[in-house]
Amino acid sequence: MVLVGGVAYGLSGSGEDPAAGPTLSPSHLAGPATSAPPADGTTTPATPALQEIDGSELAERISDATADKGSFTLSFRRTAGKEVTSVSGGSKEGSYKVSVSGPKMEKRQVVVVGGDGYLQQGAAWAKLPLGGKAKGYGVLVEQARWGTSVEELSALLEDAQTVTRNGNRWVGAVPQASGLDAVAPGYRKAKVSFELQVGSNWLPKQVKLTITAAGKPKVVTTTAFSKWGGKITIKAPAKR
């Protein structure tokens, strides 16, 4: 009986409940590093280890993720020296409905349906030339169309020689990029550094590009994507 009483006292310590067990620090309680599922029930896709991915695979994953989405909302910003372009709105299957402003150009509404552009002027809408005939607001729209194009982004990533993962961000560089005329006309043998943030299922959330070339001002574009696959209605404005 003496021995049993001594063991019981030894377990209980200074009168605490012996069934409570030892007190562990948070680091002990955590155990091995694991990834708990988010509270909303969604799952974060497995991301390849650094040695298992390159620019081509990153481009392929993004292309696959966005292939059936069709629509998204966007915010685009381009800076070149003191010149700033800002575009925000939505896109669906190559059409755009956006607010646009740029150097010495106040904010205006622009609608692009297929290859046709329309610029709001008060209560009326005027045709807005795009492509090779673009001027003024048309140039700003072409900058945004390039900056929000998954095809252009994928082509750029294909040529990336270095890709490094930092959480859900991927950073890298393309030493000699091509196809930059929409956002950096005349930049030959340009170097592009990129920072790409992806969300669930590899859908792009933000892309920052820094474009440099000898004798040219630095050009920086930042595009934010959201609401992939959301409901967006875009149609040509009624003639007035």
Side-chain angles (χ1 to χ4, degrees):
M1 292 178 64
V2 172
L3 287 175
V4 171
V7 171
Y9 181 82
L11 288 173
S12 64
S14 57
E16 296 176 356
D17 181 5
T23 301
L24 300 180
S25 66
S27 60
H28 288 91
L29 291 171
T34 58
S35 298
D40 61 3
T42 60
T43 58
T44 301
T47 307
L50 292 179
Q51 66 272 21
E52 296 176 350
I53 197 169
D54 56 19
S56 296
E57 184 176 349
L58 184 56
E60 182 179 358
R61 286 178 177 269
I62 292 171
S63 295
D64 290 345
T66 59
D68 61 347
K69 298 303 177 183
S71 63
F72 56 86
T73 58
L74 65 100
S75 175
F76 172 81
R77 182 180 176 89
R78 174 190 181 271
T79 60
K82 296 182 179 180
E83 295 184 353
V84 179
T85 297
S86 295
V87 180
S88 61
S91 175
K92 180 179 181 180
E93 297 176 353
S95 295
Y96 287 79
K97 184 177 181 180
V98 291
S99 297
V100 181
S101 64
K104 299 181 180 180
M105 287 181 275
E106 63 183 11
K107 183 182 291 186
R108 293 282 187 86
Q109 298 294 313
V110 173
V111 173
V112 177
V113 178
D116 297 323
Y118 305 87
L119 175 67
Q120 188 174 31
Q121 296 181 333
W125 291 82
K127 290 294 293 286
L128 181 66
L130 299 174
K133 298 180 180 180
K135 294 181 180 180
Y137 286 95
V139 172
L140 308 188
V141 172
E142 291 297 346
Q143 292 173 1
R145 289 212 291 182
W146 187 94
T148 58
S149 168
V150 173
E151 290 76 12
E152 296 291 354
L153 174 61
S154 297
L156 191 66
L157 294 175
E158 286 278 357
D159 295 330
Q161 291 189 355
T162 57
V163 179
T164 303
R165 176 187 172 192
N166 182 9
N168 65 342
R169 295 177 183 267
W170 299 86
V171 297
V174 180
Q176 292 191 15
S178 58
L180 304 175
D181 287 344
V183 289
Y187 282 52
R188 307 302 177 197
K189 297 182 178 180
K191 178 181 178 180
V192 178
S193 300
F194 65 85
E195 180 177 331
L196 168 65
Q197 180 183 1
V198 296
S200 61
N201 300 323
W202 293 88
L203 293 172
K205 295 182 67 176
Q206 181 172 296
V207 183
K208 181 179 179 180
L209 305 177
T210 302
I211 305 169
T212 55
K216 300 285 187 179
K218 178 174 64 176
V219 174
V220 179
T221 68
T222 305
T223 306
F225 299 91
S226 60
K227 298 182 180 178
W228 284 98
K231 184 178 180 180
I232 298 177
T233 300
I234 302 175
K235 58 183 180 180
K239 295 181 179 180
R240 300 184 64 177

